[in-house]
């Protein structure tokens, strides 16, 4: 990982103590975007660019390691997913998995319950990748089991190719 050091000194130490405390608080709460924004906002006058702010916050994540209260993962067990579908207005017509992504998590899969009359969808789970799990495989397994349990179709247009262009489920 490249260093966040410059000819003018250490960027972290150039930030006011109150900003450093708040950044570490965000990191310990696993609030990456807020931490990066704060470093960038407070550090621009000190020569900290966006990429340098990202690297600096990454170093804080490494430093704090296991002390970080990671955001809990969505449950993928059949009982939990069934409970989440039970309050939908209208009948569950299908279970769908769709790719989504952002700059923090890269690509991930959202598992949705699609309803009819009234038409809509409910987010059931977000499945992020981990070293031991492919998000498409995990979402497909959980989605198929739920769809089978509910007696509805399961749809995942293109589990092998993350992107926004895959066709959505249609009745």
């Amino acid at each position: 990982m490249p260093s966040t050091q410059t000819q003018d000194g250490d960027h972290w130490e150039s930030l006011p103590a109150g900003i450093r405390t708040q950044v570490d608080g965000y990191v310990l709460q696993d609030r990456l975007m807020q931490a990066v924004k704060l470093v960038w906002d407070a550090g621009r006058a000190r020569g900290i660019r966006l990429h340098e702010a990202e690297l600096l916050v990454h170093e804080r994540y490494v430093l704090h390691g296991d002390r970080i209260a990671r955001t809990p993962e969505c449950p993928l067990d059949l009982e939990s997913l069934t409970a989440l579908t039970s309050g939908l207005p209208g009948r569950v017509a299908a279970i769908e998995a769709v790719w989504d992504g952002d700059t923090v998590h890269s690509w991930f899969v959202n598992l949705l319950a699609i309803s009819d009359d009234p038409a809509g969808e409910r987010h059931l789970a977000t499945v992020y990748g981990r070293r031991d799990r492919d998000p498409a495989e995990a979402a497909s397994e959980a989605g198929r089991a739920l769809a089978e349990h509910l007696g509805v179709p399961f749809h995942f247009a293109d589990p092998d190719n993350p992107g926004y262009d895959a066709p959505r489920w249609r009745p």
Side-chain angles (χ1 to χ4, degrees):
M1 168 92 17
S3 173
T4 58
Q5 300 264 328
T6 67
Q7 294 175 340
D8 298 327
D10 181 17
H11 283 311
W12 179 249
E13 292 300 322
S14 77
L15 294 170
I19 297 296
R20 293 193 313 259
T21 298
Q22 188 175 10
V23 167
D24 278 346
Y26 282 145
V27 168
L28 290 168
Q29 295 172 3
D30 199 18
R31 296 175 64 192
L32 174 71
M33 295 307 288
Q34 290 91 337
V36 170
K37 183 178 183 325
L38 180 59
V39 169
W40 190 36
D41 287 347
R44 276 191 212 132
R46 293 166 170 80
I48 298 175
R49 294 172 296 170
L50 178 58
H51 182 68
E52 291 165 323
E54 292 171 336
L55 292 173
L56 193 148
V57 171
H58 170 76
E59 289 178 0
R60 304 311 292 173
Y61 267 79
V62 171
L63 175 76
H64 291 298
D66 290 340
R67 292 182 48 217
I68 298 169
R70 299 288 180 176
T71 303
E73 293 188 10
C74 294
L76 294 177
D77 63 284
L78 183 59
E79 183 179 12
S80 296
L81 293 172
T82 301
L84 291 171
T85 64
S86 65
L88 276 170
R91 182 184 74 85
V92 175
I95 301 298
E96 183 173 32
V98 295
W99 284 106
D100 200 354
D102 61 33
T103 57
V104 175
H105 302 99
S106 187
W107 289 105
F108 52 89
V109 179
N110 287 318
L111 198 57
L112 309 170
I114 310 298
S115 63
D116 60 7
D117 197 25
E121 64 184 41
R122 173 176 286 173
H123 176 267
L124 302 174
T126 300
V127 185
Y128 298 104
R130 299 188 318 217
R131 278 179 259 158
D132 64 334
R133 174 180 78 186
D134 174 74
E137 289 176 16
S140 293
E141 182 180 317
R144 277 191 198 95
L146 179 60
E148 183 177 315
H149 176 74
L150 298 174
V152 299
F154 173 70
H155 181 258
F156 194 171
D158 200 352
D160 297 323
N161 296 306
Y164 298 112
D165 298 329
R168 296 288 308 269
W169 182 82
R170 301 282 181 250

